[in-house]
Amino acid sequence: MRQTNYPPNSMNENNMNNPPSDNNPMSEEWNNQMSDNHTEPSFPDLNDDKEPREGFTFKWINLFLGVAIFLWLSQGGNVFTDDYSFYIYLAIVVVIHELGHVIAGKSFGCFIKEMQVFFLPFVSYRPKQDSVTNSWRDIKWSLGVLPLGGVTVFKSRASDIADLTDSWEMGKMGIGQEPAASPYIEDKPAWQRLLISAAGVLFNIATFLILYIALPYMSDGCYDICRPLAALSLILAVLNILPVYPLDGGAIVFAIYEMITGKKPSPGFTTACGWIGFIFIVLFFWVFPDWLNGILHNVFGLFF
């Protein structure tokens, strides 16, 4: 699909008071714009929460379900370890990774819905909202049960439009704005989305290099703490750069494809890639972990 081109003043005051309809000359343009919005690579969101609540939210069913899955996957020690300090280190590394996506997205003016550390979120916190559009207070911060990574959720304009009936809200959320001013990631140029996708890996690599260079000069106590952080930062960078969607490497491949061809992959193709990638991740990480261990062993051999 082509990159959406927005005509100047496409959402002026008169148009904002008359949302597109079958009798409105904007209808065709509106439908074309909405069609293009669905071309952004997507992956099924199993944890979508549309409640605009402030403060803390607890999902007890996710906690009980996550603990049950964790205990089941812990059998045999192929997936999880009984060294629980590992999960503290992993959480820190995942936070650094996801903050890379958040900071890069914010720097390009994207509207971010949620930053989630680990999966099956059981506790979330949404700051008290203020009047500043697209501020850090818009982000919901969530902690999950399953220590298998994290995710940064960029708000979808298409899903927001389906819920909006007030024309002023449409203007506030960026409908009809130029791509550079729009808060939605699907409106951003491919090179910006490439940098947003790569930011998590870059933050992990930077963390690894800083700690790795500093390790020889640390005391024994600091060394014991920072060496696992350096190692996990390298691991997370290597795993996420794999060219498999929905990993960051897969999103980078999609962005490069769009930069070369000028077209976004079709929604059906990206959805299929998401499910194929999910199956690959399950097989690669859990069913045949020896492949993963071999890759990590070779990488670690270069540094440790």
Side-chain angles (χ1 to χ4, degrees):
M1 299 293 286
R2 67 185 185 280
Q3 179 72 30
T4 306
N5 295 318
Y6 297 90
N9 301 322
S10 62
M11 186 60 73
N12 57 34
E13 183 177 356
N14 292 331
N15 289 333
M16 288 176 64
N17 292 328
N18 296 281
S21 63
D22 293 339
N23 298 322
N24 191 309
M26 284 185 62
S27 296
E28 182 176 356
E29 174 190 331
W30 182 272
N31 290 333
N32 290 338
Q33 181 175 324
M34 293 305 98
S35 176
D36 281 346
N37 288 340
H38 288 278
T39 62
E40 183 65 23
S42 60
F43 189 70
D45 184 4
L46 303 180
N47 299 309
D48 188 28
D49 181 9
K50 296 182 178 180
E51 296 182 4
R53 300 179 60 180
E54 298 176 354
F56 286 96
T57 302
F58 296 91
K59 295 182 179 180
W60 300 110
I61 187 170
N62 281 8
L63 178 60
F64 297 136
L65 179 61
V67 170
I69 296 175
F70 179 89
L71 293 176
W72 176 60
L73 293 176
S74 297
Q75 301 298 319
N78 291 328
V79 179
F80 298 126
T81 175
D82 56 2
D83 180 6
Y84 293 102
S85 64
F86 167 82
Y87 302 113
I88 298 176
Y89 292 126
L90 180 61
I92 295 173
V93 173
V94 171
V95 167
I96 293 172
H97 180 95
E98 299 305 329
L99 279 177
H101 294 308
V102 171
I103 293 173
K106 283 291 184 184
S107 67
F108 292 123
C110 293
F111 196 109
I112 298 173
K113 179 179 179 181
E114 179 179 4
M115 193 191 96
Q116 178 180 313
V117 177
F118 298 164
F119 293 99
L120 274 179
F122 71 96
V123 60
S124 302
Y125 175 73
R126 189 190 300 274
K128 184 177 180 180
Q129 304 297 288
D130 56 23
S131 59
V132 179
T133 302
N134 195 19
S135 73
W136 284 78
R137 289 184 175 273
D138 294 314
I139 303 175
K140 180 170 72 172
W141 311 91
S142 300
L143 177 64
V145 186
L146 296 179
L148 298 173
V151 61
T152 298
V153 181
F154 289 82
K155 217 169 186 183
S156 167
R157 172 150 58 87
S159 63
D160 279 349
I161 290 171
D163 297 332
L164 294 176
T165 56
D166 187 283
S167 58
W168 178 83
E169 285 291 335
M170 293 181 186
K172 179 183 176 183
M173 299 308 292
I175 311 308
Q177 294 182 7
E178 293 293 330
S182 172
Y184 296 95
I185 191 171
E186 58 260 44
D187 291 340
K188 303 302 179 183
W191 69 269
Q192 291 186 4
R193 285 184 274 113
L194 186 152
L195 292 178
I196 292 171
S197 298
V201 171
L202 294 177
F203 268 52
N204 285 142
I205 292 177
T207 302
F208 163 73
L209 291 176
I210 292 172
L211 293 177
Y212 183 76
I213 293 173
L215 283 177
Y217 307 100
M218 293 182 180
S219 64
D220 291 343
C222 289
Y223 182 92
D224 292 339
I225 294 174
C226 291
R227 187 179 185 278
L229 289 177
L232 285 174
S233 295
L234 181 61
I235 290 175
L236 205 61
V238 171
L239 297 183
N240 274 279
I241 204 62
L242 294 176
V244 179
Y245 193 72
L247 296 177
D248 294 336
I252 291 171
V253 170
F254 283 134
I256 293 174
Y257 170 83
E258 183 180 345
M259 292 171 65
I260 295 174
T261 65
K263 300 178 181 179
K264 292 182 180 180
S266 67
F269 178 76
T270 56
T271 300
C273 286
W275 284 111
I276 293 173
F278 177 76
I279 295 172
F280 173 84
I281 291 170
V282 171
L283 293 175
F284 191 70
F285 285 75
W286 297 339
V287 180
F288 304 108
D290 289 342
W291 296 3
L292 176 61
N293 292 336
I295 293 176
L296 296 180
H297 178 76
N298 291 332
V299 172
F300 271 84
L302 298 175
F303 299 99
F304 295 102

